[in-house]
């Protein structure tokens, strides 16, 4: 989810309150990284300020609040924060937000390089499509899924009605590589939390089961998937 720290409409506290009211055991706060100027991406100091607020709010709420970031995958495949910051995050969600016109080979190399970064956990909206606005970028998904499986990465299923990414066919293909998935609300306001049902429908169309989706797991089991949560 996103908050007022970047391009979200509601405060961190408001988002947490609503998620807890929904009965969630945990959430991941993943505001945009610094290169996303148009989305008010967080520089390092602002990110650390958010960590401090999360620490304070964690003492008030029952729900587990994961310190995450939707980190830009830069054009060379590197990530938008230095390693000393990435290693402190509970969840690193990598996303392509630029260079959509890259040729297939270059885009594939870019994403594979990111998937090989030891700090990346989840690949966000993997095809980059925006329904009715932007086609998916050219990428070799066989190589992407192969690299994700080899490095233990998780594929996002983005629940936003404008994305629904991955689509059902790619979900089914990704599952054949043994990949796990995360159904994300990609919330930018408390009203977006109800969008999870669209991602759930997408997962079902891709023939996924509960075991395939890591955010159906209890927090204790989730820590086995994302080892940084044990720190």
């Amino acid at each position: 989810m996103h908050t007022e720290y970047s391009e979200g409409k509601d405060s961190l506290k408001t988002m947490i309150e609503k998620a807890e009211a929904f009965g969630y055991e945990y959430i991941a706060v993943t505001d945009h990284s610094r290169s996303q100027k148009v989305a008010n991406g967080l520089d390092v100091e602002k990110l650390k300020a958010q960590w401090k607020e999360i620490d304070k709010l964690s003492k008030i709420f029952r729900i587990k609040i994961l310190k995450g970031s939707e980190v830009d995958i830069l054009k060379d495949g590197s990530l938008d924060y230095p390693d000393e910051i990435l290693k402190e995050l509970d969840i690193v969600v990598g996303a392509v937000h630029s260079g959509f016109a890259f040729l297939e080979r270059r885009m594939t190399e870019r994403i594979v390089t990111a998937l090989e970064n030891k700090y990346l956990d989840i690949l966000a909206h993997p095809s980059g499509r925006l329904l009715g606005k932007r086609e998916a970028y050219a990428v070799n998904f066989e190589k992407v899924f192969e690299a994700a499986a080899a490095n233990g990465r998780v594929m996002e299923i983005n629940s936003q009605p404008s994305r629904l990414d991955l689509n059902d066919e790619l979900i089914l293909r990704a599952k054949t590589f043994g990949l796990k998935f995360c159904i994300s609300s990609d919330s930018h306001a408390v009203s977006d939390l109800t969008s999870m049902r669209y991602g759930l429908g997408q997962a079902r169309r891709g023939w996924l089961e509960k075991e395939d989706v890591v955010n159906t797991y209890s927090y204790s089991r989730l820590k086995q998937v994302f080892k940084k949560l044990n720190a």
Side-chain angles (χ1 to χ4, degrees):
M1 61 174 59
H2 301 276
T3 73
E4 286 179 336
Y5 272 88
S6 62
E7 64 173 347
K9 301 296 188 292
D10 291 310
S11 69
L12 177 58
K13 184 179 181 182
T14 299
M15 295 297 290
I16 294 166
E17 285 175 337
K18 190 65 171 180
E20 183 165 287
F22 274 25
Y24 284 121
E25 184 184 2
Y26 51 82
I27 53 170
V29 177
T30 56
D31 280 298
H32 285 285
S33 64
R34 57 189 179 181
S35 286
Q36 271 296 292
K37 305 295 186 186
V38 69
N40 299 315
L42 279 61
D43 61 27
V44 171
E45 291 309 309
K46 195 173 180 182
L47 180 64
K48 289 182 176 180
Q50 185 182 70
W51 293 351
K52 290 180 180 178
E53 186 177 0
I54 289 173
D55 286 340
K56 290 179 182 177
L57 292 171
S58 293
K59 297 174 182 176
I60 300 172
F61 292 96
R62 167 198 55 78
I63 195 168
K64 300 284 187 184
I65 309 162
L66 308 185
K67 297 171 182 172
S69 177
E70 185 172 341
V71 179
D72 269 38
I73 296 173
L74 304 179
K75 292 182 179 180
D76 63 355
S78 63
L79 300 183
D80 195 24
Y81 286 130
D83 286 354
E84 59 262 30
I85 295 299
L86 296 172
K87 69 181 182 182
E88 296 297 325
L89 289 162
D90 295 323
I91 297 288
V92 175
V93 182
V96 170
H97 289 122
S98 63
F100 298 111
F102 279 8
L103 296 178
E104 179 180 302
R105 179 178 176 181
R106 186 177 177 191
M107 183 64 84
T108 302
E109 290 174 349
R110 174 186 186 181
I111 294 175
V112 167
T113 297
L115 290 167
E116 291 172 346
N117 186 304
K118 64 181 180 180
Y119 296 113
L120 184 72
D121 299 301
I122 299 170
L123 181 62
H125 40 76
S127 80
R129 74 176 185 177
L130 284 175
L131 295 171
K133 292 184 178 181
R134 184 175 69 220
E135 294 295 322
Y137 40 64
V139 66
N140 184 326
F141 271 108
E142 299 297 312
K143 292 184 177 179
V144 167
F145 294 153
E146 185 178 67
N151 291 282
R153 309 303 178 222
V154 173
M155 294 289 108
E156 181 192 55
I157 299 172
N158 190 293
S159 298
Q160 284 294 313
S162 62
R163 289 190 182 274
L164 298 179
D165 183 7
L166 291 167
N167 68 27
D168 49 2
E169 293 181 3
L170 288 173
I171 290 169
L172 189 58
R173 282 169 60 190
K175 184 175 177 177
T176 66
F177 285 80
L179 287 167
K180 298 294 185 184
F181 302 81
C182 171
I183 301 175
S184 165
S185 70
D186 192 14
S187 293
H188 289 67
V190 292
S191 58
D192 289 339
L193 289 169
T194 59
S195 296
M196 284 292 283
R197 65 183 184 273
Y198 303 125
L200 179 60
Q202 198 78 346
R204 287 171 171 163
R205 283 191 291 273
W207 290 92
L208 297 189
E209 300 175 55
K210 183 176 180 179
E211 184 65 23
D212 300 312
V213 180
V214 299
N215 55 321
T216 67
Y217 300 172
S218 67
Y219 182 68
S220 59
R221 187 175 178 196
L222 191 77
K223 291 196 292 184
Q224 298 172 27
V225 178
F226 301 121
K227 303 298 185 183
K228 287 181 289 186
L229 298 178
N230 295 301

